[in-house]
Amino acid sequence: MKLLVDQINADPAPFAFQGDSAWWAAVIAKSRDLPLELAEPFRFEGEAHQMAENLFVEGNARGAIELECGRCLARYRHGLRESFRLVLEPAGGRSPLEPEANVALARDGLCLGEELESGWYRGHTLQLDAFFAEVVSLGLPVVPLCREECIGLCPQCGVDRNVENCECQETRSDSPFAALAALRGNAGRGR
């Protein structure tokens, strides 16, 4: 997705970009070990405008991907709805300290700052693919859950406790140090 800097003025100009499975595979999936196919393409819609020398890009991202639940290992469709806002100031003669930021500024015409919502721009074209990839990456769960109340798999027999009950006895101690006591007991026997 490209925005031409010369066409951005004080009047908010709408834009829309759709990231299909090919876009997804190229910018995100391989680096995060995620499925290469999307359940629903990611759609980025918003507005861009200029205020003084700064550029403002804001909008929403939506789409869906199939993930694996971290508790029961079931595949489920994870919908993503994220808003984004980016404020870019002209880089001028300044150069970012990080080498990756310098590469991004030359390649994409922008580099992000410490915060995802700010950065610098240089040149006549803004390539927003890397920024949109960050928006999606930050919107994905660290531990995917098919639903909040997911019970997960039995640690002893492996049955999905959301579907059926098992006869396994849970061995749980009231003490958070019970696992250490068990290790200490095993270590004493090995001497």
Side-chain angles (χ1 to χ4, degrees), residues 75-142:
R75 303 289 296 168
Y76 75 99
R77 181 183 172 119
H78 179 82
L80 180 102
R81 307 286 183 262
E82 291 289 320
S83 60
F84 58 85
R85 179 169 190 224
L86 178 60
V87 179
L88 297 170
E89 62 180 78
R94 299 177 289 182
S95 291
L97 296 176
E98 299 83 22
E100 299 87 18
N102 268 320
V103 170
L105 191 58
R107 180 191 64 223
D108 301 335
L110 69 98
C111 68
L112 301 176
E114 292 289 323
E115 301 291 322
L116 180 64
E117 296 184 350
S118 65
W120 295 347
Y121 77 93
R122 179 181 290 148
H124 301 289
T125 305
L126 302 177
Q127 178 60 263
L128 295 174
D129 287 310
F131 171 70
F132 288 154
E134 284 293 318
V135 170
V136 172
S137 290
L138 291 173
L140 293 174
V142 174

Side-chain angles (χ1 to χ4, degrees), residues 31-107:
S31 65
R32 296 250 338 246
D33 195 27
L34 293 166
L36 296 177
E37 294 294 318
L38 293 173
E40 174 187 328
F42 283 104
R43 182 136 178 95
F44 304 92
E45 296 177 333
E47 295 180 337
H49 68 277
Q50 186 174 11
M51 184 178 295
E53 292 183 328
N54 293 343
L55 302 179
F56 292 82
V57 179
E58 55 192 338
N60 295 293
R62 67 179 191 278
I65 183 172
E66 290 235 344
L67 295 176
E68 184 177 273
C69 179
R71 291 182 185 161
C72 70
L73 305 180
R75 303 289 296 168
Y76 75 99
R77 181 183 172 119
H78 179 82
L80 180 102
R81 307 286 183 262
E82 291 289 320
S83 60
F84 58 85
R85 179 169 190 224
L86 178 60
V87 179
L88 297 170
E89 62 180 78
R94 299 177 289 182
S95 291
L97 296 176
E98 299 83 22
E100 299 87 18
N102 268 320
V103 170
L105 191 58
R107 180 191 64 223

